[in-house]
Amino acid sequence: MSCIQTRGLAYGQISYRDLDIEEGKATFISGPSGCGKSTLLRLFNKTLAPMAGTVLYQGQDMAQTDSIALRREVLLAGQSVFLFEGTVGENFDAFCEARESATLAAEDKQKFLRLCCANFPLDAPCVHLSGGERQRVFLAICLSFLPKVLMLDEPTSALDQETAERFMAQVLAFCRERGMTVVAVSHDPALTGRHAENIISLRAEAE
């Protein structure tokens, strides 16, 4: 069963073949730089609007859905990471407040940090974290919202191979247990081969 489908989709100079994202599975999107991988993720949660064609979520045209409600269910953890000022724990609280959802207990925050290989103290100031560390904290916060679809754009780009493997194995196992759909963009063919249940290969000549 598909949870996201595209029909005749195009954005800018990029034309995509028709795609189906299987519900509850981990789909990896691969392809050379410039073929539209990150753009596709933004089209999947209405951060961008198609210039042609249609994106369907649960069989409904996304153009007819409420954008905020959609992004609560189809959550994109992109390469551009935003964290509020303050500590790691305070960032969990700030994002919960922004989404008008209940704050997490300390042990739950730490559980999601461990899942994302970001086992930092909750009182650690985010300003002292490296770019890769900030990305993992942001991913932990995104995962804690338990979206129906979690989209990851190059989540392991700042990680060494061992940590990247552990991160992907832990996050995907957690998502599978809860029936969450994962759509991940990755430039790592070995990682994709080990963890993808479905692979979508985009071509550079799509542009």
Side-chain angles (χ1 to χ4, degrees):
M1 177 179 177
S2 297
C3 71
I4 297 176
Q5 299 170 296
T6 71
R7 297 295 180 261
L9 184 64
Y11 185 85
Q13 300 301 308
I14 305 171
S15 296
Y16 297 95
R17 72 178 189 275
D18 290 351
L19 304 172
D20 290 82
I21 304 297
E22 192 173 354
E23 188 168 12
K25 302 291 186 180
T27 297
F28 279 58
I29 300 172
S30 64
S33 297
C35 68
K37 300 185 297 296
S38 296
T39 297
L40 186 61
L41 296 188
R42 293 195 288 272
L43 289 164
F44 280 173
N45 80 336
K46 288 187 73 174
T47 306
L48 295 176
M51 293 183 175
T54 304
V55 183
L56 303 171
Y57 174 60
Q58 304 289 9
Q60 183 177 3
D61 186 347
M62 281 191 185
Q64 309 302 320
T65 64
D66 178 77
S67 299
I68 294 176
L70 174 72
R71 290 177 199 144
R72 289 179 182 272
E73 295 190 9
V74 184
L75 183 58
L76 172 59
Q79 296 185 57
S80 298
V81 173
F82 172 80
L83 293 177
F84 296 98
E85 293 184 5
T87 66
V88 170
E90 288 168 346
N91 263 271
F92 274 91
D93 295 340
F95 277 97
C96 285
E97 182 179 355
R99 289 173 61 98
E100 299 180 340
S101 59
T103 56
L104 297 176
E107 57 267 28
D108 290 326
K109 296 174 186 176
Q110 290 168 331
K111 176 187 74 174
F112 286 108
L113 289 168
R114 286 194 299 271
L115 277 171
C116 294
C117 302
N119 196 18
F120 308 114
L122 295 179
D123 60 358
C126 289
V127 70
H128 294 159
L129 301 179
S130 69
E133 291 169 341
R134 290 170 63 86
Q135 183 185 34
R136 299 202 299 279
V137 169
F138 183 70
L139 288 169
I141 293 169
C142 290
L143 188 61
S144 75
F145 294 132
L146 304 177
K148 292 185 178 179
V149 181
L150 178 65
M151 300 192 294
L152 305 171
D153 194 355
E154 295 290 354
T156 62
S157 59
L159 302 179
D160 62 79
Q161 190 155 3
E162 181 181 350
T163 307
E165 177 68 29
R166 187 168 72 253
F167 166 88
M168 195 58 72
Q170 291 177 172
V171 169
L172 292 182
F174 178 85
C175 292
R176 275 191 207 99
E177 287 173 2
R178 287 151 184 81
M180 292 165 57
T181 302
V182 177
V183 184
V185 166
S186 177
H187 276 111
D188 186 335
L191 200 71
T192 297
R194 282 192 297 272
H195 294 288
E197 294 171 273
N198 298 303
I199 299 174
I200 293 173
S201 298
L202 301 183
R203 299 179 299 173
E205 56 264 32
E207 291 200 354

